[in-house]
Amino acid sequence: DIVMTQSPDSLAVSLGERATINCKSSQSVLSSSSNVHYLAWYQHKPGQPPKKLIYWASTRQAGVPDRFSGSGSGTDFTLTISSLQAEDVAVYYCQQYHSLPRTFGQGTKVEIK
Amino acid sequence: EVQLVESGGGLVKPGESLRLSCAASGLTFTNAWMSWVRQAPGKGLEWIGRIRSKTDGETTDYAAPVRGRFTISRDDSKNTLYLHVSSLEIEDTGVYYCTTDAFDSWGQGTLVTVSS
């Protein structure tokens, strides 16, 4: 199984400041045939289902604000919230969909400082 | 708009069984590959398994912790996905979500509590 490890487990950021979450996969999630990384990011708020933000490591889902961006390659990936808003308080997960079983990181809790 | 509505959760005793349902609308369910994901209290997201469309064989894949105890099935005539859970353990307690296999759309989840 591909193990996904996120860091940090939690972070507190001031409103308007940048939040950065890291995700490392234990194996490459690069598809050799399509040359894209099978890596997604989700936002999960209490009482709501998870919401997909980013796929292919850096492509924003339709309707996701452009303050959310994904980057990375190989086995190291990053989700950046460029200017944290109050509504961004949530737990964020990375996930690989390169191989079965699909696996998620342990989650990173983002709070307001 | 895709809508997924889970039902069937509840309080059960260890060793018992349950059938969760997920009613789908707003998508061509017949062609959709579907997955189940769960979240134990205070824990992260865990993929349970998926089912392919009938056209693609209606075959299933499962995560190791549930293989042999959980069964995913579908009824395309009812646009409904199922998760049959048996030999339930306390560690199976959590919110169970159905999702499209691309994880683009999620239901609100149904809570399963396993307790003696």
Side-chain angles (χ1 to χ4, degrees), chain A residues 21-86:
Chain A
I21 301 168
N22 300 301
C23 173
K24 188 174 184 67
S25 59
S26 62
Q27 303 171 37
S28 173
V29 296
L30 176 68
S31 167
S32 55
S33 58
S34 57
N35 200 35
V36 294
H37 291 88
Y38 281 43
L39 187 287
W41 288 96
Y42 299 83
Q43 176 190 66
H44 194 192
K45 297 181 180 179
Q48 297 183 22
K51 175 185 176 182
K52 190 174 185 179
L53 300 175
I54 303 281
Y55 59 98
W56 292 341
S58 61
T59 302
R60 258 189 311 275
Q61 194 81 344
V64 172
D66 61 6
R67 63 180 180 274
F68 292 93
S69 64
S71 63
S73 64
T75 60
D76 292 285
F77 302 91
T78 299
L79 175 70
T80 301
I81 309 173
S82 60
S83 175
L84 191 74
Q85 305 300 304

Side-chain angles (χ1 to χ4, degrees), chain A residues 42 44 47-50 52 61 93 95 100-102 104 106, chain B residues 39 43-47 50 61 97 102-104 106-108:
Chain A
Y42 299 83
H44 194 192
Q48 297 183 22
K52 190 174 185 179
Q61 194 81 344
Y93 296 91
Q95 180 219 27
L100 294 177
R102 306 301 191 222
F104 294 87
Q106 80 276 18
Chain B
Q39 183 177 36
K43 303 294 185 182
L45 302 171
E46 179 186 21
W47 179 82
R50 73 170 180 191
D61 298 291
Y97 298 98
F103 305 95
D104 293 332
W106 297 63
Q108 288 294 321

Side-chain angles (χ1 to χ4, degrees), chain B residues 1 14 20 22 47 54 62 70 74 91 95 109-110 114-115:
Chain B
E1 180 192 0
L20 308 182
C22 171
W47 179 82
K54 187 171 186 177
Y62 298 97
F70 289 14
R74 61 192 299 156
E91 292 75 24
V95 177
T110 187
V114 185
S115 175

Side-chain angles (χ1 to χ4, degrees), chain B residues 40-101:
Chain B
K43 303 294 185 182
L45 302 171
E46 179 186 21
W47 179 82
I48 293 172
R50 73 170 180 191
I51 186 166
R52 297 172 178 78
S53 63
K54 187 171 186 177
T55 303
D56 292 312
E58 210 169 308
T59 50
T60 52
D61 298 291
Y62 298 97
V66 306
R67 196 173 296 132
R69 297 191 300 122
F70 289 14
T71 302
I72 300 174
S73 62
R74 61 192 299 156
D75 185 337
D76 290 348
S77 69
K78 296 181 179 179
N79 282 2
T80 300
L81 176 72
Y82 299 103
L83 178 65
H84 304 254
V85 297
S86 62
S87 303
L88 280 162
E89 303 168 354
I90 291 175
E91 292 75 24
D92 295 318
T93 293
V95 177
Y96 286 70
Y97 298 98
C98 70
T99 91
T100 53
D101 193 54

